[in-house]
Amino acid sequence: MERITLPRRGLLLGSLAAAASLRSGTAPAAVPRATEQAPGFYRHRVGEIEVTALLDGNLAFPDAALPNLFRNYDADTGTRLKAAAFDAPGGVPLAVNAFLVNTGTRLILVDAGAAAALGPNLGQIPRNLRAAGVALEDIDAIVLTHLHRDHAAGMLTADGAALFPRGEVLVAEAEAAYWSDSGEETRAPAPLRPFFGPARAVLAAYGSRVRRIAPETEVAPGVRTLAIPGHTPGHLGVHVASGGAQFLMWGDVVHAQSLQFARPDWSISFDSDPDLAARTRSRIFDMAATDRLVVAGSHLAFPAIGHVARRSEGYGFVPAMWRSPL
């Protein structure tokens, strides 16, 4: 059978453009470039509950930083895993996401992004909420998986006031106590110390609207928090169950999608307890793969919703967006 040879993409596009201009008798007109992406929100149905993924923005871990960022990191393995995931040369991508849970009677935001705390590429949660048809004053409650800046700094306006005018703020008792303790700040490793001041600022801005909760607390019918320990002292996940469907928002179980699914033992330097974080990651991966859970992660590639699958080397992430019933 005759072999078909396809032209390279650039040559193909050029040939098509040239053919079009010859037919019209005119030179091809310049097409203006767009200046921004479409709004970053994506709706997913969990029984009778709707979960909307919200993109705050994207960052990257530079390659040069990876040996210091990830415990047990091996350069040859990392290079192989990044190539297999088609990561761009020079770094490992890091999305920052939040999630909106609509129970039909309550709107519950899970995390709020980074605002301007980590540079100009983040801070898109308010814009994407508006694009999804939700105003800041519509939010009934905000569950903070933890108080790191990329999850909680988006709670504040540029001048440090509360951004959400009426939402109750739910944070684990252990989390609020840890970041409020000046003694813990003194004892913390140097990379974690800059996180204390911003965490205290969020708690202060919301004052009496902050509710310190136990690890397993019902937020609304079908919506519960659960302990996912290791990343921070009070790190929470949020579990949604409705109509036989289940959905787990796991916060910061994963930071580097291309690396940590295959190597769950590679804990990040921002983990308060790296050993516990690694054990938790393996446990959550095993549970999600065994129970075929739909999961969502704060740092998975947007829209950050999918499944965990067992692989010959650890685990892998399978996006579920094309199978989401609306």
Side-chain angles (χ1 to χ4, degrees), residues 9-257:
R9 182 176 183 273
L11 295 176
L12 175 61
L13 294 178
S15 300
L16 292 174
S21 64
L22 288 173
R23 286 195 299 271
S24 65
T26 61
V31 178
R33 293 182 181 272
T35 58
E36 63 180 23
Q37 293 282 6
F41 71 91
Y42 177 78
R43 305 187 201 278
H44 181 89
R45 181 72 65 176
V46 185
E48 295 302 312
I49 296 176
E50 179 186 81
V51 178
T52 300
L54 301 161
L55 177 66
D56 197 49
N58 291 283
L59 298 171
F61 294 129
D63 281 345
L66 298 180
N68 293 323
L69 271 173
F70 292 98
R71 191 185 62 161
N72 300 328
Y73 183 79
D74 173 74
D76 290 340
T77 303
T79 298
R80 174 173 54 79
L81 292 174
K82 292 194 299 103
F86 292 91
D87 284 352
V92 171
L94 173 79
V96 177
N97 308 300
F99 301 91
L100 180 70
V101 180
N102 182 352
T103 69
T105 58
R106 299 195 80 201
L107 286 175
I108 302 159
L109 185 65
V110 180
D111 290 335
L118 296 176
N121 292 332
L122 301 179
Q124 296 301 312
I125 295 298
R127 169 181 178 258
N128 288 324
L129 276 171
R130 288 193 299 271
V134 177
L136 298 178
E137 57 268 24
D138 294 335
I139 302 297
D140 296 299
I142 306 100
V143 178
L144 294 175
T145 62
H146 58 298
L147 285 166
H148 281 175
R149 291 171 294 180
D150 51 326
H151 300 257
M155 299 286 291
L156 303 177
T157 65
D159 59 0
L163 178 68
F164 297 93
R166 68 178 193 84
E168 180 184 40
V169 180
L170 281 65
V171 60
E173 170 63 43
E175 188 74 7
Y178 176 78
W179 297 108
S180 300
D181 189 330
S182 58
E184 293 288 3
E185 181 175 8
T186 301
R187 292 186 292 271
L192 294 181
R193 289 177 200 152
F195 291 59
F196 280 81
R200 287 195 292 265
V202 170
L203 296 174
Y206 284 83
S208 62
R209 282 197 278 150
V210 175
R211 177 156 66 102
R212 301 186 179 199
I213 61 173
E216 296 194 9
T217 294
E218 184 179 70
V219 181
V223 183
R224 293 185 64 84
T225 61
L226 69 160
I228 301 185
H231 182 52
T232 62
H235 186 227
L236 296 176
V238 178
H239 181 264
V240 176
S242 174
Q246 296 188 70
F247 185 94
L248 173 63
M249 289 162 276
W250 67 24
D252 279 13
V253 166
V254 170
H255 288 83
Q257 181 173 327

